[in-house]
Amino acid sequence: MNSDLSNSPPLRGGLGEAFLDKLSESKKIVFFTGAGISAESGIPTFRGKDGIWNKLRPEELANFNAFMRNPQMVWEWYNHRKKIIHESKPNTGHLAISEMQDLFDEVTVVTQNIDNLHRRAGSKNIFELHGNIERNFCINCRTFYNEELDFANGVPKCKCGGLIRPDVVWFGEYLPEDQFEGSEKAAVLSDMFFVVGTSAVVYPAAGLVHAAKRAGSFIVEVNIEPTEISSICHESFWGEAGKILPEIVKAVKSNNR
Ligand code: NAD
Ligand code: ZN
């Protein structure tokens, strides 16, 4: 155990020797993140304790048919989420990941989040598997509208007349191919693969954990509770990402000294 950590709150499972050894040898690391990393920024997760989907049925809103049936309602939901996201800031977990860029040869963020907080925290190499709420596009001609949309006359429309929708991946839709391929490549080439704040039940995204493991990467989970993929991880840290990730940065720094 690193002496620098002696005054820190104990992590269940500790920052074990095997983990620290592997980390000190690692050159390429990947952070695969989900809604849990943004929970401490005040953005509700979907599942798990306090998840919004305990109250709302996701399939009713986050799919293309729902949008065609009632674009107004779907947009109200996204505008509500947008407001929460705009009022939030990256937390110590996002910032720790960004700081890792100075400590390893290659740091890749693969996120399922649409909140843009990794970018705002300073991470550079980011794959967004489920889109980004800051972007919108026309369902007819795919023209992008990334500026503030005007809802004064109802759901905004493209100059071609098509409805404008948020650039997020809905249930039943394919993931953006370039983002998924880039993520897969980073996963299989990684020395260490962190799974942070994701329930790991949404596929194909969650399949990246298995791909990384098969390719020989060391899999580390950071979550407040066990998940579907806990049993395949080499190391698990149970606690808030905003506390554990800065501890890991601290451990790497004191190791490099
Ligand atoms: P999820 O809601 O299914 O699971 C969240 C996970 O985070 C749970 O396992 C929970 O135990 C864990 N968690 C909660 N607080 C945590 C904390 N402080 N530290 C560490 N872990 C914590 O999230 P998911 O797996 O990302 O679900 C997939 C879908 O949810 C994605 O499609 C994503 O687009 C969407 N989503 C995104 C946002 C966002 O952009 N911030 C918010 C909600 C949902
Ligand atoms: Zn159009």
Side-chain angles (χ1 to χ4, degrees), residues 107-236:
V107 176
T108 305
V109 175
V110 174
T111 190
Q112 299 167 89
N113 296 343
I114 57 170
D115 58 28
N116 209 33
L117 289 182
H118 284 296
R119 194 164 286 111
R120 285 171 60 193
S123 283
K124 300 272 187 292
N125 193 15
I126 306 171
F127 292 105
E128 292 172 328
L129 294 177
H130 293 160
N132 187 319
I133 202 166
E134 303 294 338
R135 300 188 300 254
N136 316 287
F137 67 90
C138 165
I139 62 169
N140 276 353
C141 69
R142 294 194 68 90
T143 298
F144 273 82
Y145 289 86
N146 297 340
E147 65 276 10
E148 200 57 46
L149 296 172
D150 182 5
F151 287 83
N153 301 312
V155 173
K157 288 201 174 129
C158 175
K159 48 188 180 306
C160 82
L163 291 171
I164 296 176
R165 61 168 278 183
D167 184 17
V168 298
V169 176
W170 283 332
F171 283 92
E173 294 183 327
Y174 291 110
L175 305 194
E177 215 171 301
D178 57 335
Q179 300 298 296
F180 191 72
E181 279 171 7
S183 304
E184 220 171 13
K185 196 166 167 207
V188 301
L189 293 176
S190 66
D191 300 310
M192 196 173 271
F193 187 92
F194 288 88
V195 188
V196 185
T198 173
S199 54
V201 293
V202 179
Y203 280 79
L208 292 170
V209 186
H210 302 275
K213 172 126 193 221
R214 275 196 306 273
S217 189
F218 191 91
I219 315 291
V220 182
E221 180 170 41
V222 178
N223 202 304
I224 51 172
E225 60 189 19
T227 68
E228 295 284 311
I229 50 95
S230 300
S231 61
I232 71 154
C233 294
H234 296 99
E235 184 77 81
S236 296

Side-chain angles (χ1 to χ4, degrees), residues 10-144:
L11 299 171
R12 187 135 59 95
L15 285 183
E17 288 298 333
F19 166 71
L20 288 173
D21 285 351
K22 187 72 199 169
L23 189 62
S24 67
E25 295 161 6
S26 295
K27 298 205 177 332
K28 297 183 179 189
I29 60 174
V30 171
F31 289 89
F32 174 53
T33 66
I37 194 165
S38 297
E40 291 159 80
S41 292
I43 303 172
T45 58
F46 278 0
R47 303 176 190 80
K49 201 163 78 56
D50 300 327
I52 30 181
W53 287 357
N54 298 334
K55 297 158 207 144
L56 267 168
R57 295 257 317 279
E59 295 82 357
E60 284 173 16
L61 286 161
N63 77 75
F64 188 73
N65 290 340
F67 181 70
M68 292 315 282
R69 253 196 321 272
N70 196 342
Q72 186 80 34
M73 181 183 76
V74 173
W75 261 117
E76 265 168 37
W77 156 248
Y78 278 98
N79 281 335
H80 167 70
R81 291 187 66 199
K82 231 176 182 164
K83 184 165 179 291
I84 296 173
I85 287 167
H86 283 169
E87 286 164 359
S88 71
K89 285 202 298 282
N91 64 54
T92 48
H94 299 103
L95 294 169
I97 292 177
S98 163
E99 221 180 312
M100 305 265 188
Q101 293 174 129
D102 299 332
L103 306 172
F104 295 90
D105 286 0
E106 199 177 295
V107 176
T108 305
V109 175
V110 174
T111 190
Q112 299 167 89
N113 296 343
I114 57 170
D115 58 28
N116 209 33
L117 289 182
H118 284 296
R119 194 164 286 111
R120 285 171 60 193
S123 283
K124 300 272 187 292
N125 193 15
I126 306 171
F127 292 105
E128 292 172 328
L129 294 177
H130 293 160
N132 187 319
I133 202 166
E134 303 294 338
R135 300 188 300 254
N136 316 287
F137 67 90
C138 165
I139 62 169
N140 276 353
C141 69
R142 294 194 68 90
T143 298
F144 273 82

